[in-house]
Amino acid sequence: MNPRQIIADNVARIRQRIAAAAARSGRSADAVKLIAVTKYVGLDEIAALREAGCSAFGESQPQTLWKKAATLPGEPIDWHFIGHLQRNKVRRTVPLVACLHSGDSLRLLEELNAEVQRASLPRFPVLLEVNVSGDESKHGFAPGELEALWPALAALVHLEIRGLMGMAALEGGVDVARQNFQSLRECRDRLQKSDPKGIALAELSMGMSGDFEVAIEEGATMVRVGSSLFEGVE
Ligand SMILES: *Cc1c(COP(=O)(O)O)cnc(C)c1O
């Protein structure tokens, strides 16, 4: 089978699995956005994903994002940045990105806020990355740290903090992943209760190829799926 057909079939199958998991959590399929992670692939695969109806793409490295965005100008693509962003890459990255999932430190968020103001850009959508697994290798805020940071975060008026992002532990399988996703949701609920001014926190970006159904059952509104989209393509 040709790669385009394989990708189209994979997208269809993943959308069905998303819809089924959403139904199990009492929600419609539209309540969950599929972010197609394209960090492993090139422009042909991106074209195939677009033909299959995908319009939100995730990249984790700024240089790769810059290159792809420059090669696909004018395409109706929403780029989601999902990797660690160094502050010296902020200026070139912000104008290309629809939502940054990986707001992982106050210093980065302050830099983003300052850049949006400097360049007179519209309020910039960000999620706060929370290290719910506690893995040393992962970036992000500690779950217990955010409440004390609210005043500083709420002062970043050029950012629109839309929610939280998290990743499951590398070890432990689906059961541990579910606990990690529950922790992220509880963290969000706690913060919402403390009613931070002007901050809605509607989005929960959680779940990847190996665990997106569990994430949806636990309340994900965005899933970041990469490798499953390209299964069977050489
Ligand atoms: C690569 C990546 C994904 C996608 O992972 P798959 O297992 O290939 O689906 C999701 N989120 C982040 C932050 C990533 O870096």
Side-chain angles (χ1 to χ4, degrees):
M1 231 190 316
N2 77 56
R4 295 206 161 196
Q5 190 57 50
I6 295 172
I7 290 172
D9 291 349
N10 288 347
V11 170
R13 206 163 339 106
I14 286 166
R15 286 201 189 283
Q16 281 169 6
R17 290 169 60 190
I18 289 173
R24 289 196 293 278
S25 75
R27 295 179 296 158
S28 76
D30 318 338
V32 182
K33 190 180 182 80
L34 170 62
I35 314 293
V37 176
T38 50
K39 66 185 183 193
Y40 317 104
V41 300
L43 300 175
D44 289 345
E45 289 84 356
I46 292 176
L49 288 168
R50 293 209 45 237
E51 274 173 31
C54 297
S55 58
F57 296 141
E59 286 287 336
S60 61
Q61 292 202 326
Q63 287 93 337
T64 313
L65 170 70
W66 301 342
K67 225 180 275 164
K68 286 178 180 167
T71 321
L72 300 164
E75 299 277 359
I77 290 179
D78 278 348
W79 293 105
H80 290 245
F81 195 79
I82 61 175
H84 178 59
L85 184 62
Q86 289 172 306
R87 283 177 301 141
N88 64 2
K89 307 277 191 320
V90 161
R91 185 158 293 182
R92 273 188 77 176
T93 304
V94 165
L96 304 173
V97 167
C99 178
L100 179 123
H101 292 226
S102 42
D104 56 14
S105 73
L106 184 57
R107 286 176 80 196
L108 171 64
L109 292 160
E110 285 171 343
E111 184 74 26
L112 289 164
N113 186 68
E115 176 57 20
V116 172
Q117 177 171 35
R118 188 200 65 82
S120 305
L121 297 169
R123 275 178 93 202
F124 183 62
V126 298
L127 309 180
L128 305 177
E129 181 171 350
V130 182
N131 186 354
V132 280
S133 72
D135 285 358
E136 294 274 332
S137 61
K138 295 222 167 80
H139 294 278
F141 295 97
E145 174 186 21
L146 281 171
E147 248 154 313
L149 283 173
W150 274 125
L153 291 166
L156 304 175
V157 295
H158 300 284
L159 303 182
E160 186 187 333
I161 300 175
R162 289 196 179 163
L164 306 182
M165 180 272 231
M167 274 181 275
L170 292 171
E171 311 275 332
V174 171
D175 292 338
V176 172
R178 189 182 294 281
Q179 289 167 20
N180 293 154
F181 297 144
Q182 285 169 349
S183 300
L184 192 69
R185 189 188 63 217
E186 286 162 10
C187 180
R188 190 272 305 272
D189 294 348
R190 264 197 320 276
L191 292 168
Q192 256 177 348
K193 230 175 265 155
S194 72
D195 192 30
K197 247 195 248 131
I199 301 180
L201 300 178
E203 304 287 355
L204 286 176
S205 168
M206 54 189 197
M208 322 194 330
S209 290
D211 52 26
F212 69 87
E213 288 155 303
V214 177
I216 292 168
E217 288 169 12
E218 298 303 331
T221 62
M222 294 173 160
V223 290
R224 309 176 309 272
V225 178
S227 36
S228 292
L229 293 169
F230 311 109
E231 248 162 49
V233 182
E234 277 110 67

mmCIF file of all heavy atoms in Angstrom, residues 16-33 178 181-182 185 188 204 206 212-223:
data_model
loop_
_atom_site.group_PDB
_atom_site.id
_atom_site.type_symbol
_atom_site.label_atom_id
_atom_site.label_comp_id
_atom_site.label_asym_id
_atom_site.label_seq_id
_atom_site.Cartn_x
_atom_site.Cartn_y
_atom_site.Cartn_z
ATOM 1 N N GLN A 16 -11.153 7.009 15.443
ATOM 2 C CA GLN A 16 -12.173 6.123 16.029
ATOM 3 C C GLN A 16 -11.855 5.811 17.484
ATOM 4 O O GLN A 16 -12.742 5.808 18.340
ATOM 5 C CB GLN A 16 -12.251 4.802 15.259
ATOM 6 C CG GLN A 16 -13.035 4.899 13.963
ATOM 7 C CD GLN A 16 -12.858 3.645 13.097
ATOM 8 O OE1 GLN A 16 -12.234 2.653 13.514
ATOM 9 N NE2 GLN A 16 -13.408 3.693 11.897
ATOM 10 N N ARG A 17 -10.567 5.551 17.746
ATOM 11 C CA ARG A 17 -10.178 5.234 19.133
ATOM 12 C C ARG A 17 -10.381 6.448 20.029
ATOM 13 O O ARG A 17 -10.781 6.329 21.190
ATOM 14 C CB ARG A 17 -8.721 4.752 19.177
ATOM 15 C CG ARG A 17 -8.553 3.363 18.539
ATOM 16 C CD ARG A 17 -7.091 3.003 18.344
ATOM 17 N NE ARG A 17 -6.331 2.977 19.589
ATOM 18 C CZ ARG A 17 -5.003 2.882 19.649
ATOM 19 N NH1 ARG A 17 -4.283 2.806 18.530
ATOM 20 N NH2 ARG A 17 -4.397 2.856 20.813
ATOM 21 N N ILE A 18 -10.090 7.650 19.501
ATOM 22 C CA ILE A 18 -10.320 8.883 20.266
ATOM 23 C C ILE A 18 -11.809 9.016 20.591
ATOM 24 O O ILE A 18 -12.196 9.291 21.738
ATOM 25 C CB ILE A 18 -9.818 10.119 19.486
ATOM 26 C CG1 ILE A 18 -8.286 10.129 19.454
ATOM 27 C CG2 ILE A 18 -10.360 11.422 20.092
ATOM 28 C CD1 ILE A 18 -7.679 11.223 18.572
ATOM 29 N N ALA A 19 -12.652 8.783 19.573
ATOM 30 C CA ALA A 19 -14.104 8.940 19.776
ATOM 31 C C ALA A 19 -14.612 7.937 20.812
ATOM 32 O O ALA A 19 -15.427 8.293 21.681
ATOM 33 C CB ALA A 19 -14.836 8.763 18.449
ATOM 34 N N ALA A 20 -14.103 6.708 20.749
ATOM 35 C CA ALA A 20 -14.562 5.690 21.694
ATOM 36 C C ALA A 20 -14.131 6.039 23.118
ATOM 37 O O ALA A 20 -14.917 5.914 24.065
ATOM 38 C CB ALA A 20 -14.021 4.318 21.291
ATOM 39 N N ALA A 21 -12.894 6.512 23.263
ATOM 40 C CA ALA A 21 -12.413 6.878 24.601
ATOM 41 C C ALA A 21 -13.163 8.107 25.121
ATOM 42 O O ALA A 21 -13.494 8.183 26.309
ATOM 43 C CB ALA A 21 -10.902 7.141 24.570
ATOM 44 N N ALA A 22 -13.461 9.049 24.232
ATOM 45 C CA ALA A 22 -14.225 10.232 24.644
ATOM 46 C C ALA A 22 -15.610 9.805 25.128
ATOM 47 O O ALA A 22 -16.100 10.285 26.160
ATOM 48 C CB ALA A 22 -14.335 11.233 23.488
ATOM 49 N N ALA A 23 -16.229 8.874 24.404
ATOM 50 C CA ALA A 23 -17.556 8.386 24.808
ATOM 51 C C ALA A 23 -17.486 7.749 26.195
ATOM 52 O O ALA A 23 -18.372 7.955 27.029
ATOM 53 C CB ALA A 23 -18.084 7.391 23.779
ATOM 54 N N ARG A 24 -16.403 7.000 26.456
ATOM 55 C CA ARG A 24 -16.260 6.376 27.785
ATOM 56 C C ARG A 24 -16.139 7.419 28.881
ATOM 57 O O ARG A 24 -16.435 7.152 30.043
ATOM 58 C CB ARG A 24 -15.031 5.450 27.820
ATOM 59 C CG ARG A 24 -15.198 4.173 27.009
ATOM 60 C CD ARG A 24 -14.145 3.130 27.375
ATOM 61 N NE ARG A 24 -12.790 3.503 27.005
ATOM 62 C CZ ARG A 24 -12.254 3.363 25.788
ATOM 63 N NH1 ARG A 24 -12.971 2.860 24.798
ATOM 64 N NH2 ARG A 24 -11.016 3.720 25.539
ATOM 65 N N SER A 25 -15.651 8.620 28.535
ATOM 66 C CA SER A 25 -15.553 9.679 29.551
ATOM 67 C C SER A 25 -16.740 10.638 29.461
ATOM 68 O O SER A 25 -16.705 11.730 30.020
ATOM 69 C CB SER A 25 -14.228 10.444 29.393
ATOM 70 O OG SER A 25 -14.282 11.316 28.275
ATOM 71 N N GLY A 26 -17.798 10.213 28.745
ATOM 72 C CA GLY A 26 -19.021 11.003 28.681
ATOM 73 C C GLY A 26 -18.900 12.253 27.836
ATOM 74 O O GLY A 26 -19.630 13.223 28.051
ATOM 75 N N ARG A 27 -17.981 12.237 26.872
ATOM 76 C CA ARG A 27 -17.806 13.420 26.029
ATOM 77 C C ARG A 27 -17.898 13.048 24.559
ATOM 78 O O ARG A 27 -17.801 11.880 24.193
ATOM 79 C CB ARG A 27 -16.429 14.053 26.323
ATOM 80 C CG ARG A 27 -16.326 14.602 27.735
ATOM 81 C CD ARG A 27 -14.955 15.198 28.010
ATOM 82 N NE ARG A 27 -13.904 14.204 27.947
ATOM 83 C CZ ARG A 27 -12.625 14.485 27.722
ATOM 84 N NH1 ARG A 27 -12.249 15.731 27.526
ATOM 85 N NH2 ARG A 27 -11.720 13.528 27.695
ATOM 86 N N SER A 28 -18.085 14.057 23.724
ATOM 87 C CA SER A 28 -18.112 13.789 22.287
ATOM 88 C C SER A 28 -16.688 13.827 21.746
ATOM 89 O O SER A 28 -15.781 14.378 22.375
ATOM 90 C CB SER A 28 -18.978 14.815 21.565
ATOM 91 O OG SER A 28 -18.269 16.029 21.453
ATOM 92 N N ALA A 29 -16.515 13.255 20.556
ATOM 93 C CA ALA A 29 -15.189 13.219 19.937
ATOM 94 C C ALA A 29 -14.630 14.622 19.729
ATOM 95 O O ALA A 29 -13.418 14.827 19.796
ATOM 96 C CB ALA A 29 -15.257 12.470 18.611
ATOM 97 N N ASP A 30 -15.497 15.603 19.494
ATOM 98 C CA ASP A 30 -15.011 16.986 19.265
ATOM 99 C C ASP A 30 -14.376 17.585 20.503
ATOM 100 O O ASP A 30 -13.717 18.622 20.412
ATOM 101 C CB ASP A 30 -16.129 17.979 18.910
ATOM 102 C CG ASP A 30 -17.130 17.419 17.961
ATOM 103 O OD1 ASP A 30 -16.771 16.468 17.261
ATOM 104 O OD2 ASP A 30 -18.262 17.929 17.944
ATOM 105 N N ALA A 31 -14.610 16.994 21.652
ATOM 106 C CA ALA A 31 -14.040 17.547 22.882
ATOM 107 C C ALA A 31 -12.553 17.241 22.992
ATOM 108 O O ALA A 31 -11.880 17.766 23.883
ATOM 109 C CB ALA A 31 -14.786 16.988 24.096
ATOM 110 N N VAL A 32 -12.043 16.425 22.091
ATOM 111 C CA VAL A 32 -10.621 16.042 22.149
ATOM 112 C C VAL A 32 -9.953 16.384 20.818
ATOM 113 O O VAL A 32 -10.373 15.929 19.756
ATOM 114 C CB VAL A 32 -10.464 14.528 22.421
ATOM 115 C CG1 VAL A 32 -8.989 14.168 22.535
ATOM 116 C CG2 VAL A 32 -11.222 14.113 23.671
ATOM 117 N N LYS A 33 -8.914 17.194 20.900
ATOM 118 C CA LYS A 33 -8.209 17.614 19.691
ATOM 119 C C LYS A 33 -6.995 16.719 19.463
ATOM 120 O O LYS A 33 -6.211 16.483 20.383
ATOM 121 C CB LYS A 33 -7.760 19.069 19.892
ATOM 122 C CG LYS A 33 -7.217 19.742 18.654
ATOM 123 C CD LYS A 33 -6.814 21.181 19.028
ATOM 124 C CE LYS A 33 -6.309 21.927 17.824
ATOM 125 N NZ LYS A 33 -7.387 22.432 16.969
ATOM 126 N N ARG A 178 -2.103 6.281 33.982
ATOM 127 C CA ARG A 178 -3.414 6.756 34.447
ATOM 128 C C ARG A 178 -3.271 7.591 35.729
ATOM 129 O O ARG A 178 -3.873 8.647 35.866
ATOM 130 C CB ARG A 178 -4.358 5.570 34.682
ATOM 131 C CG ARG A 178 -5.796 6.012 34.955
ATOM 132 C CD ARG A 178 -6.730 4.843 35.245
ATOM 133 N NE ARG A 178 -6.942 3.947 34.129
ATOM 134 C CZ ARG A 178 -7.775 4.177 33.098
ATOM 135 N NH1 ARG A 178 -8.469 5.303 33.054
ATOM 136 N NH2 ARG A 178 -7.908 3.303 32.130
ATOM 137 N N PHE A 181 -1.948 10.982 34.838
ATOM 138 C CA PHE A 181 -2.958 11.841 34.206
ATOM 139 C C PHE A 181 -3.983 12.318 35.239
ATOM 140 O O PHE A 181 -4.438 13.463 35.192
ATOM 141 C CB PHE A 181 -3.642 11.101 33.053
ATOM 142 C CG PHE A 181 -2.702 10.732 31.938
ATOM 143 C CD1 PHE A 181 -2.854 9.539 31.227
ATOM 144 C CD2 PHE A 181 -1.645 11.566 31.583
ATOM 145 C CE1 PHE A 181 -1.972 9.193 30.205
ATOM 146 C CE2 PHE A 181 -0.761 11.227 30.559
ATOM 147 C CZ PHE A 181 -0.928 10.036 29.870
ATOM 148 N N GLN A 182 -4.323 11.431 36.190
ATOM 149 C CA GLN A 182 -5.220 11.862 37.262
ATOM 150 C C GLN A 182 -4.577 12.988 38.066
ATOM 151 O O GLN A 182 -5.244 13.963 38.435
ATOM 152 C CB GLN A 182 -5.555 10.681 38.193
ATOM 153 C CG GLN A 182 -6.542 9.705 37.575
ATOM 154 C CD GLN A 182 -6.673 8.397 38.364
ATOM 155 O OE1 GLN A 182 -5.892 8.110 39.278
ATOM 156 N NE2 GLN A 182 -7.657 7.589 37.993
ATOM 157 N N ARG A 185 -4.956 16.225 36.206
ATOM 158 C CA ARG A 185 -6.327 16.747 36.276
ATOM 159 C C ARG A 185 -6.613 17.331 37.664
ATOM 160 O O ARG A 185 -7.199 18.398 37.802
ATOM 161 C CB ARG A 185 -7.326 15.639 35.956
ATOM 162 C CG ARG A 185 -8.741 16.161 35.795
ATOM 163 C CD ARG A 185 -9.741 15.029 35.671
ATOM 164 N NE ARG A 185 -9.763 14.219 36.865
ATOM 165 C CZ ARG A 185 -9.919 12.889 36.886
ATOM 166 N NH1 ARG A 185 -10.051 12.220 35.765
ATOM 167 N NH2 ARG A 185 -9.943 12.233 38.022
ATOM 168 N N ARG A 188 -5.015 20.657 38.025
ATOM 169 C CA ARG A 188 -5.827 21.669 37.332
ATOM 170 C C ARG A 188 -7.048 22.054 38.194
ATOM 171 O O ARG A 188 -7.362 23.231 38.374
ATOM 172 C CB ARG A 188 -6.275 21.119 35.974
ATOM 173 C CG ARG A 188 -6.920 22.152 35.052
ATOM 174 C CD ARG A 188 -8.403 22.313 35.232
ATOM 175 N NE ARG A 188 -9.135 21.075 35.096
ATOM 176 C CZ ARG A 188 -9.589 20.588 33.942
ATOM 177 N NH1 ARG A 188 -9.372 21.253 32.840
ATOM 178 N NH2 ARG A 188 -10.263 19.458 33.922
ATOM 179 N N LEU A 204 -6.349 20.259 28.917
ATOM 180 C CA LEU A 204 -5.419 19.285 29.480
ATOM 181 C C LEU A 204 -4.771 18.554 28.315
ATOM 182 O O LEU A 204 -5.426 17.757 27.635
ATOM 183 C CB LEU A 204 -6.144 18.278 30.378
ATOM 184 C CG LEU A 204 -6.603 18.754 31.753
ATOM 185 C CD1 LEU A 204 -7.381 17.636 32.464
ATOM 186 C CD2 LEU A 204 -5.419 19.191 32.613
ATOM 187 N N MET A 206 -2.573 15.822 27.324
ATOM 188 C CA MET A 206 -1.926 14.630 27.876
ATOM 189 C C MET A 206 -2.304 13.424 27.041
ATOM 190 O O MET A 206 -3.405 13.337 26.520
ATOM 191 C CB MET A 206 -2.283 14.457 29.357
ATOM 192 C CG MET A 206 -3.763 14.435 29.704
ATOM 193 S SD MET A 206 -4.020 14.476 31.500
ATOM 194 C CE MET A 206 -5.749 13.923 31.606
ATOM 195 N N PHE A 212 -2.877 7.404 24.845
ATOM 196 C CA PHE A 212 -3.827 8.508 24.650
ATOM 197 C C PHE A 212 -5.261 8.156 25.055
ATOM 198 O O PHE A 212 -6.019 9.023 25.486
ATOM 199 C CB PHE A 212 -3.768 9.061 23.209
ATOM 200 C CG PHE A 212 -4.284 8.155 22.130
ATOM 201 C CD1 PHE A 212 -5.637 8.147 21.796
ATOM 202 C CD2 PHE A 212 -3.426 7.330 21.431
ATOM 203 C CE1 PHE A 212 -6.108 7.323 20.777
ATOM 204 C CE2 PHE A 212 -3.890 6.503 20.415
ATOM 205 C CZ PHE A 212 -5.233 6.490 20.098
ATOM 206 N N GLU A 213 -5.600 6.846 24.977
ATOM 207 C CA GLU A 213 -6.973 6.492 25.370
ATOM 208 C C GLU A 213 -7.169 6.657 26.874
ATOM 209 O O GLU A 213 -8.201 7.173 27.327
ATOM 210 C CB GLU A 213 -7.286 5.071 24.909
ATOM 211 C CG GLU A 213 -7.463 5.029 23.395
ATOM 212 C CD GLU A 213 -7.190 3.673 22.791
ATOM 213 O OE1 GLU A 213 -6.073 3.154 23.000
ATOM 214 O OE2 GLU A 213 -8.083 3.143 22.107
ATOM 215 N N VAL A 214 -6.169 6.231 27.637
ATOM 216 C CA VAL A 214 -6.224 6.409 29.091
ATOM 217 C C VAL A 214 -6.300 7.899 29.424
ATOM 218 O O VAL A 214 -7.074 8.324 30.289
ATOM 219 C CB VAL A 214 -4.973 5.781 29.741
ATOM 220 C CG1 VAL A 214 -4.956 6.016 31.233
ATOM 221 C CG2 VAL A 214 -4.895 4.302 29.434
ATOM 222 N N ALA A 215 -5.512 8.693 28.719
ATOM 223 C CA ALA A 215 -5.502 10.139 28.970
ATOM 224 C C ALA A 215 -6.882 10.741 28.718
ATOM 225 O O ALA A 215 -7.369 11.573 29.510
ATOM 226 C CB ALA A 215 -4.452 10.816 28.087
ATOM 227 N N ILE A 216 -7.529 10.302 27.645
ATOM 228 C CA ILE A 216 -8.870 10.834 27.331
ATOM 229 C C ILE A 216 -9.860 10.411 28.413
ATOM 230 O O ILE A 216 -10.678 11.213 28.872
ATOM 231 C CB ILE A 216 -9.317 10.366 25.931
ATOM 232 C CG1 ILE A 216 -8.448 11.028 24.862
ATOM 233 C CG2 ILE A 216 -10.793 10.705 25.695
ATOM 234 C CD1 ILE A 216 -8.598 10.430 23.474
ATOM 235 N N GLU A 217 -9.771 9.160 28.844
ATOM 236 C CA GLU A 217 -10.665 8.704 29.920
ATOM 237 C C GLU A 217 -10.480 9.560 31.171
ATOM 238 O O GLU A 217 -11.413 9.752 31.942
ATOM 239 C CB GLU A 217 -10.393 7.232 30.252
ATOM 240 C CG GLU A 217 -10.880 6.285 29.163
ATOM 241 C CD GLU A 217 -10.372 4.857 29.350
ATOM 242 O OE1 GLU A 217 -9.823 4.535 30.432
ATOM 243 O OE2 GLU A 217 -10.515 4.071 28.397
ATOM 244 N N GLU A 218 -9.271 10.097 31.353
ATOM 245 C CA GLU A 218 -8.986 10.920 32.535
ATOM 246 C C GLU A 218 -9.154 12.413 32.262
ATOM 247 O O GLU A 218 -8.786 13.240 33.100
ATOM 248 C CB GLU A 218 -7.581 10.635 33.055
ATOM 249 C CG GLU A 218 -7.365 9.190 33.519
ATOM 250 C CD GLU A 218 -8.346 8.756 34.605
ATOM 251 O OE1 GLU A 218 -8.798 9.617 35.386
ATOM 252 O OE2 GLU A 218 -8.657 7.541 34.659
ATOM 253 N N GLY A 219 -9.676 12.771 31.089
ATOM 254 C CA GLY A 219 -10.049 14.163 30.866
ATOM 255 C C GLY A 219 -9.217 14.953 29.868
ATOM 256 O O GLY A 219 -9.401 16.169 29.749
ATOM 257 N N ALA A 220 -8.335 14.309 29.121
ATOM 258 C CA ALA A 220 -7.529 15.053 28.136
ATOM 259 C C ALA A 220 -8.431 15.783 27.140
ATOM 260 O O ALA A 220 -9.441 15.240 26.689
ATOM 261 C CB ALA A 220 -6.611 14.092 27.375
ATOM 262 N N THR A 221 -8.050 17.012 26.810
ATOM 263 C CA THR A 221 -8.730 17.748 25.738
ATOM 264 C C THR A 221 -7.855 17.839 24.493
ATOM 265 O O THR A 221 -8.319 18.223 23.429
ATOM 266 C CB THR A 221 -9.086 19.172 26.178
ATOM 267 O OG1 THR A 221 -7.875 19.880 26.480
ATOM 268 C CG2 THR A 221 -10.001 19.171 27.401
ATOM 269 N N MET A 222 -6.561 17.525 24.648
ATOM 270 C CA MET A 222 -5.643 17.470 23.516
ATOM 271 C C MET A 222 -4.773 16.240 23.707
ATOM 272 O O MET A 222 -4.239 16.025 24.802
ATOM 273 C CB MET A 222 -4.712 18.691 23.505
ATOM 274 C CG MET A 222 -5.387 20.019 23.263
ATOM 275 S SD MET A 222 -4.134 21.326 23.509
ATOM 276 C CE MET A 222 -4.920 22.659 22.634
ATOM 277 N N VAL A 223 -4.617 15.436 22.636
ATOM 278 C CA VAL A 223 -3.672 14.325 22.690
ATOM 279 C C VAL A 223 -2.600 14.565 21.630
ATOM 280 O O VAL A 223 -2.888 15.070 20.551
ATOM 281 C CB VAL A 223 -4.368 12.958 22.478
ATOM 282 C CG1 VAL A 223 -5.244 12.620 23.679
ATOM 283 C CG2 VAL A 223 -5.193 12.926 21.194
#
